[in-house]
Amino acid sequence: MIGLLFYRKEVFGLLSGSKADAEPLPHSWQNEVEEFEYSSPDDLMGKSALDEGVALVSAEDFSFVDKGEQLGLLADVQEEVKSICSILEKEDGGKEYFLSLFTLVKSKYPAVASSPALSAINAFIREHVPFFLSDDELDSLWV
């Protein structure tokens, strides 16, 4: 009885009349096995995909200089405006005094007139001066 349990395939094969040495059925994937190439043992799954929104670019396609200059320009002009505002506060100066002092800033930083940071600088000026400046007055500061 225990022998039948262990040798049941052979017993059923003899009873049904089939051979015990039957060939396995062919599989369609058997001859088309892909070989993976990897550069290191740590890279077994292949090259990793880049994160969403990330792209590889060459060194010629980007630079840091322009952005750094814009940020430096913005910070420098903001410091100049702060110093003018502190002078206005100490001497009780008005809009005319501010405009005369600001001509020095305009001559020192002529690139601001065409800078993308112009709107941020104008907003900074509007927040820090002790009087109201209209949009036309702010635009005329840099002309």
Side-chain angles (χ1 to χ4, degrees):
M1 186 74 153
I2 292 178
L4 287 176
L5 185 63
F6 285 110
Y7 298 105
R8 68 176 173 235
K9 284 185 180 180
E10 289 79 9
V11 171
F12 287 130
L14 286 173
L15 293 175
S16 67
S18 66
K19 296 181 184 178
D21 301 351
E23 282 185 35
L25 295 173
H27 299 285
S28 63
W29 51 265
Q30 199 167 15
N31 296 329
E32 299 175 10
V33 175
E34 292 182 20
E35 302 243 351
F36 293 108
E37 294 180 20
Y38 54 93
S39 58
S40 70
D42 298 331
D43 197 18
L44 291 176
M45 298 296 289
K47 293 183 179 179
S48 61
L50 296 175
D51 292 335
E52 185 176 332
V54 175
L56 294 176
V57 294
S58 66
E60 297 87 33
D61 293 340
F62 68 93
S63 68
F64 296 108
V65 177
D66 293 335
K67 189 70 171 171
E69 286 177 1
Q70 289 175 5
L71 293 176
L73 181 69
L74 177 65
D76 292 343
V77 173
Q78 285 177 343
E79 284 302 314
E80 295 281 348
V81 169
K82 286 179 187 177
S83 65
I84 289 174
C85 289
S86 68
I87 292 170
L88 289 176
E89 185 179 327
K90 288 177 186 172
E91 298 185 14
D92 287 332
K95 190 184 288 190
E96 293 78 26
Y97 191 47
F98 170 79
L99 294 175
S100 65
L101 291 174
F102 197 79
T103 56
L104 296 172
V105 175
K106 181 173 70 170
S107 65
K108 190 174 179 181
Y109 301 102
V112 172
S114 62
S115 171
L118 180 62
S119 61
I121 292 171
N122 284 344
F124 184 82
I125 292 171
R126 182 174 276 157
E127 290 175 12
H128 286 83
V129 293
F131 45 82
F132 176 75
L133 286 172
S134 68
D135 290 335
D136 293 334
E137 289 172 323
L138 280 172
D139 291 337
S140 68
L141 287 176
W142 303 104
V143 178

